[in-house]
């Protein structure tokens, strides 16, 4: 019995998170045994260039020797105490300073971060409704597993079985980059909306950059209406630059959610904001939130070390952006050369290659037109050339400090070959 077969008997679908099952690319998953630098090694000893980066956390590449050495020491100091520790204070200072916030609460995943930030927004405003945008992903808590229904604003549908209609009745779904859709909802529910949550750069429908006017108008309008603006920066935080991407636009959200990178590869999430709001959390305030392993010392120390390296080496961001631009130009050229329909969307170091014919890509409505079968063929051709892309069209390409121009150029050449081979 092969590993996948065995896994499927023991774990639903053989995986602990659905995208890993490779269903979108119509093949069996690759099981990884180890990783080093920019490479993943599967259980059969094959080596792949990793463009998944564990979906973001491995921004410095896998298995940096200095971090491994430090981690060994951390193991000696203790794994978890269930009591406050000094590293939590140090990490809180690091994160708040980097993000221009005053307070932060640590949790164990991005899902927890957004779920808790929304509870806080509701508790703080005394309002119940929230706005999210179609195609933005904020983890798998009940009230966020929603898509817009046909027709009316109030008729949304859960995207998962097991989510009661009553749980999502306060979730309003708008179109990304479309302020009219937000204004319409605000008119319909005056004074009832607690928060608007979004990925400031959408990364979970493939990379869809925001229209700056959309963001600034959204900021103004939410401020006027007393609605909290929540930036879900579980991907963008510490990836576009050190801290929040909102610096790029000279903008401030009310609450920020982080995850992925800030745990340095261990399970961490966080949400942050001003004292005035954050002090509504228990034990000071009346919004309950807790976690046995929250602020886990090992995770805090690994996160602290990764963030410190990023803070002290800003050239890493420039390097990733340069590599992304190189990849963008190279892939775009290969699309043209091979007459393959597709487009690259990029914001600094975040990018996606969408297959299909597009006028523009601004929202979920637009990305829905992507040719997922073409992506599946492309993915397989790339895999055969030792390149592991995200096993789904609607994901980004994740770069790390361990990537370099040589790997990018190899990837571009491989993409050209893949595009030719896909026609057959
Ligand atoms: C990954 C992700 C989440 C969920 O984080 P988990 O750690 O998987 O729970 C939330 N928001 C965004 C934008 C993400 O990319």
């Amino acid at each position: 019995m092969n590993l996948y077969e065995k896994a499927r008997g023991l774990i639903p679908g053989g995986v602990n998170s659905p995208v890993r099952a490779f269903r979108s690319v119509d093949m069996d998953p690759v099981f990884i045994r180890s990783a080093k630098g920019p490479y993943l090694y599967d259980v059969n000893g094959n080596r792949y260039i990793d463009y998944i980066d564990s979906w973001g956390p491995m921004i410095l590449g896998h298995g940096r020797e200095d971090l491994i050495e430090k981690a060994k020491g951390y193991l000696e100091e203790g794994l978890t105490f269930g009591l406050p520790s000094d590293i939590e204070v140090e990490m809180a200072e690091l994160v708040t300073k980097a993000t221009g916030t005053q307070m932060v609460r640590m949790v164990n995943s991005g899902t927890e971060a957004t779920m808790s930030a929304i509870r806080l927004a509701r508790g703080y405003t005394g309002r119940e409704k929230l706005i999210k945008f179609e195609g933005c992903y904020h983890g798998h808590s009940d009230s966020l597993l929603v898509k817009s229904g046909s027709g009316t604003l109030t008729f949304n549908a859960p995207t998962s079985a097991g989510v009661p209609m009553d749980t999502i009745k306060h979730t309003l779904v708008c179109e990304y980059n479309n302020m009219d859709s937000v204004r319409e909802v605000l008119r319909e529910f005056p004074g009832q909306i607690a928060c608007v949550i979004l990925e400031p750069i959408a990364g979970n429908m493939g990379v869809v950059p925001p229209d700056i006017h959309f963001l600034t108008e959204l900021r103004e309008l939410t401020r006027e209406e007393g609605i909290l603006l929540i930036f879900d920066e579980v991907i963008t935080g510490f990836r576009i630059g050190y801290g929040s991407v909102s610096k790029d636009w000279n903008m401030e959200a009310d609450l920020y959610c982080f995850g992925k990178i800030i745990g340095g590869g261990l399970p961490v999430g966080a949400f942050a904001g001003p004292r005035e709001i954050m002090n509504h959390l228990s034990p000071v305030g009346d919004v309950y939130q807790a976690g046995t392993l929250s602020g886990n010392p090992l995770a805090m120390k690994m996160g602290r070390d990764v963030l410190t390296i990023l803070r002290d080496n800003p050239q890493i961001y420039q390097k990733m952006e340069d590599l992304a631009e190189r990849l963008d130009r190279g892939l775009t050229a290969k699309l043209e050369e091979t007459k393959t329909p597709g487009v690259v969307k990029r914001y600094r170091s975040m990018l996606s290659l969408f297959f299909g014919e597009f006028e523009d890509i601004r929202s979920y409505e637009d990305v829905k037109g992507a040719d997922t079968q073409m992506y599946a063929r492309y993915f397989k051709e790339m895999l055969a050339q030792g390149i592991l892309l995200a096993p789904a069209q609607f994901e980004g390409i994740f770069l790390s400090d361990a990537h370099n121009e040589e790997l990018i150029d190899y990837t571009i050449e491989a993409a050209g070959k893949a595009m030719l081979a896909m026609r057959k």
Side-chain angles (χ1 to χ4, degrees), residues 109-288:
S109 68
T111 295
E112 264 187 84
T114 58
M115 181 183 78
S116 307
I118 285 168
R119 185 180 306 141
L120 176 59
R122 284 171 161 159
Y124 175 76
T125 59
R127 302 171 178 178
E128 293 195 326
K129 297 203 181 296
L130 72 96
I131 292 178
K132 83 174 283 288
F133 295 90
E134 189 133 53
C136 282
Y137 176 70
H138 306 294
H140 64 94
S141 66
D142 281 2
S143 66
L144 292 167
L145 292 179
V146 185
K147 62 178 179 212
S148 63
S150 49
T152 67
L153 291 171
T154 42
F155 225 76
N156 293 323
T159 55
S160 163
V163 174
M165 284 303 284
D166 266 2
T167 309
I168 61 156
K169 73 180 177 200
H170 294 304
T171 307
L172 306 157
V173 183
C174 293
E175 188 181 33
Y176 196 71
N177 275 330
N178 179 347
M179 264 318 280
D180 286 342
S181 73
V182 177
R183 283 196 204 90
E184 198 182 334
V185 168
L186 291 184
R187 269 198 304 274
E188 186 128 344
F189 302 99
Q192 296 173 56
I193 296 165
C195 60
V196 174
I197 186 167
L198 82 162
E199 294 178 75
I201 302 162
N204 283 289
M205 49 175 145
V207 174
V208 179
D211 179 344
I212 305 311
H213 296 296
F214 166 71
L215 286 180
T216 48
E217 276 182 58
L218 188 62
R219 177 62 284 188
E220 278 169 30
L221 205 60
T222 47
R223 195 166 274 145
E224 279 167 23
E225 305 274 338
I227 297 167
L228 298 190
L229 181 62
I230 305 176
F231 274 4
D232 178 353
E233 297 213 47
V234 171
I235 289 181
T236 55
F238 298 90
R239 171 157 293 276
I240 297 300
Y242 183 69
S244 162
V245 67
S246 58
K247 274 191 245 173
D248 261 26
W249 313 301
N250 242 327
M251 184 182 293
E252 266 179 47
D254 297 300
L255 293 172
Y256 299 86
C257 299
F258 300 104
K260 298 192 168 117
I261 289 175
I262 67 163
L266 285 154
V268 176
F271 57 109
R275 273 185 204 105
E276 205 249 308
I277 300 176
M278 293 297 285
N279 269 334
H280 283 254
L281 284 172
S282 53
V284 199
D286 54 6
V287 177
Y288 189 70

Side-chain angles (χ1 to χ4, degrees), residues 30 74 108 110 153 162 179 193 214 249 272 283 287 297 309 359 361-362 367 372 396 407 422:
V30 176
Y74 302 155
N108 303 292
L153 291 171
M179 264 318 280
I193 296 165
F214 166 71
W249 313 301
V287 177
I309 291 170
E359 289 212 349
I361 295 188
R362 292 171 45 82
V367 302
T372 54
L407 293 175
M422 281 156 62

